[in-house]
Amino acid sequence: MINVNGKPVDQMVGKTLTDLLKAKTSMMQNVVVELNGEIIHRDQLDTKILVENDKVELISFVGGG
């Protein structure tokens, strides 16, 4: 099990951060990903594999005026 934004999430261990983003948000281009306290660059999302007890923060940017 991993933690996403402070909530436990099943069935993501062994999957990539891209897989997680696809499952959690439809606006991937507006999200910054932090994995265990480290900001992950977009070019690494396909290669970072989630492991047991990972802590992921998905931070969305919303524009307005």
Side-chain angles (χ1 to χ4, degrees):
M1 185 174 308
I2 65 167
N3 241 324
V4 179
N5 294 344
K7 297 179 182 173
V9 175
D10 282 328
Q11 301 177 358
M12 291 308 297
V13 171
K15 302 207 181 214
T16 66
L17 284 171
T18 297
D19 295 330
L20 175 65
L21 282 173
K22 287 179 181 176
K24 293 291 178 189
T25 183
S26 61
M27 299 177 64
M28 287 178 52
Q29 67 276 10
N30 296 334
V31 176
V32 171
V33 179
E34 181 182 289
L35 176 62
N36 300 322
E38 177 184 343
I39 300 293
I40 304 301
H41 295 278
R42 290 211 166 272
D43 61 353
Q44 297 176 311
L45 295 176
D46 286 334
T47 58
K48 289 284 184 177
I49 305 296
L50 295 164
V51 297
E52 192 71 29
N53 298 318
D54 270 345
K55 290 179 176 54
V56 180
E57 293 292 324
L58 302 178
I59 304 158
S60 299
F61 292 97
V62 180

